[in-house]
Every structure is written in structure tokens, then in C-alpha cells.
Amino acid sequence: MEPLIRYSRTSDGFNIAHWVVGEGPTLVGMPSLPWSHIQLEWSIPAVRSWYEAISRGRRLVRYDGRGFGLSSRDAPEVSLETDVEDLVSVVDGLKLDHFDLYAGLHSGPAAIAYTARHPLRVDHLVLFCSYADGSTHRSNPLTQATRPIILQDWQFYAQVVARLLLGWTEPEAAQAFSDLVSRCTSPEFASRALEATSLFDVSDMLGNVLVPTLVL
């Protein structure tokens, strides 16, 4: 059964879609912009099994950021601060006094920034395949080779994301995730959002992250 979709509102007027499953200590799973669609993800067995597994014994919160998924799509700007603001709207809307925070890839910098600013609210931080300085990720040869495809062939780029960048190798699962990627957002927003991540830099905040942190 799919979880109930609810919405919070950012201070600058965007609706942020989120769901909550399970009971227990809260884990907030941030989306890696712009690859997130909290409703369609439940149609992929591997993703659904992952959510069901990590929500056992805890309360799992997942949301789509502005510009993708079920959240407001008309986002003119993408920045580190808008990424942080989307997280703020969800955790404040749910009145979470403290929680664990999980961030993968492009959501890592915002998670680091939030944790550095709110050390009494974040109990533990988990960073998966992420970075502090987006320019280092942008300089990766694979990133440089694939980004131009976004505006040239959106469907092919979705295949590249699913199979090459995210490593889905089983054909049926790879196709399902490719379909999800292509429906997460528009190629124009994806291009702008991913370009914006190259400007994310929280290197000077790392010393202010005082909570137990797992880097994977």
C-alpha cells in the first residue's frame, strides 16, 4: 500500500510533497535533486523493499524537492539555500525536534549545511556517495561527458542515469528506474539543477558538523 502524500510549504511559497511510514526514531531521507518521485518509486520493487526495510523500527520521512517529483514544478531557482529550505519546510511542518538525516549524492551539501546550523536537531548524519564541494563532482570525466545529453536526448539520458551513473544492471529494474528518471522533472530543470550543484560548497562548514556522521 502506497503511503499517504502530504505537503508542506516553504517560506518562499513552494509546496513540498512528502510521506511518512513506520514508527519509532525518525530518519529523514533527503532526495538527490532532481532524481526523486516519492510516489512512482513505490512501483519499483527494489526501491520499495529498501523503504520497507529501513522503516522497520523507525519512522521514515521522504520528500521531493522543488522542481521535481510531486512538489511544485515551477521553481525558477536552484541553490544550496533552496535545497536547505525544502528540508526545513518538511521537518518544521512535521514538528520534528530531533531526527537522523540521510543524504545521497547532490543532497549531501544541504544536509551538511543544515546539520552544521542545527546540531541539536540532527542526532546522526549519513552521507552516501556525496561531496562537500560540487566543483569536484562536476570535474569528473563521466559527469562532463553525460551532462550535455540532457537537452539533446532526454530519454537516452534517463537510461544513462539509471544504468551508468546509478548502476542499475538488471534489465527490468534499470528500465523501471529509467522511466522514473524521465518522469521526475523536465530536461530543462534537470539541466539547471545539476549545473547549480557545481556551485555547492560547504567545505568551510565541515568543522561545525559535531554529530556522529557515517560517510559511505
Side-chain angles (χ1 to χ4, degrees):
M1 181 176 177
E2 292 182 3
L4 178 66
I5 307 296
R6 299 183 184 275
Y7 289 85
S8 59
R9 191 145 178 101
T10 66
S11 61
D12 52 349
F14 291 90
N15 294 317
I16 304 300
H18 63 272
W19 52 245
V20 180
V21 296
E23 295 181 359
T26 301
L27 170 65
V28 178
M30 296 181 66
S32 177
L33 66 87
W35 314 130
S36 174
H37 195 301
I38 59 173
Q39 185 179 53
L40 293 180
E41 287 168 0
W42 283 84
S43 66
I44 301 177
V47 177
R48 180 171 185 157
S49 295
W50 160 250
Y51 286 147
E52 291 173 341
I54 62 176
S55 63
R56 294 191 189 107
R58 64 174 59 87
R59 183 189 191 200
L60 174 63
V61 178
R62 269 280 287 121
Y63 68 94
D64 291 328
R66 67 184 70 192
F68 54 94
L70 295 180
S71 294
S72 296
R73 291 288 188 105
D74 55 341
E77 177 190 6
V78 182
S79 68
L80 176 66
E81 293 307 321
T82 61
D83 212 9
V84 172
E85 174 58 26
D86 294 346
L87 171 62
V88 168
S89 77
V90 174
V91 298
D92 285 0
L94 292 172
K95 297 180 171 56
L96 302 180
D97 294 327
H98 60 93
F99 51 90
D100 296 332
L101 187 58
Y102 170 88
L105 196 57
H106 301 305
S107 60
I112 292 168
Y114 183 89
T115 302
R117 297 169 186 171
H118 304 277
L120 298 182
R121 294 187 74 178
V122 179
D123 295 329
H124 303 86
L125 176 63
V126 180
L127 301 172
F128 176 71
C129 291
S130 193
Y131 53 82
D133 182 355
S135 65
T136 59
H137 179 77
R138 182 69 176 85
S139 63
N140 182 292
L142 185 58
T143 301
Q144 292 184 332
T146 55
R147 288 278 174 86
I149 304 172
I150 295 176
L151 296 177
Q152 297 172 7
D153 191 331
W154 180 234
Q155 296 300 323
F156 178 67
Y157 182 76
Q159 292 277 349
V160 169
V161 170
R163 298 174 184 273
L164 190 59
L165 301 183
L166 299 181
W168 289 88
T169 55
E170 197 279 320
E172 187 174 343
Q175 184 60 52
F177 202 85
S178 172
D179 292 342
L180 183 147
V181 166
S182 68
R183 296 171 65 183
C184 282
T185 190
S186 67
E188 292 76 19
F189 181 82
S191 181
R192 285 192 290 114
L194 292 173
E195 193 60 36
T197 63
S198 65
L199 302 178
F200 290 3
D201 189 356
V202 293
S203 302
D204 61 346
M205 300 184 193
L206 294 176
N208 295 325
V209 176
L210 305 179
V211 307
T213 302
L214 177 63
V215 180
L216 301 170

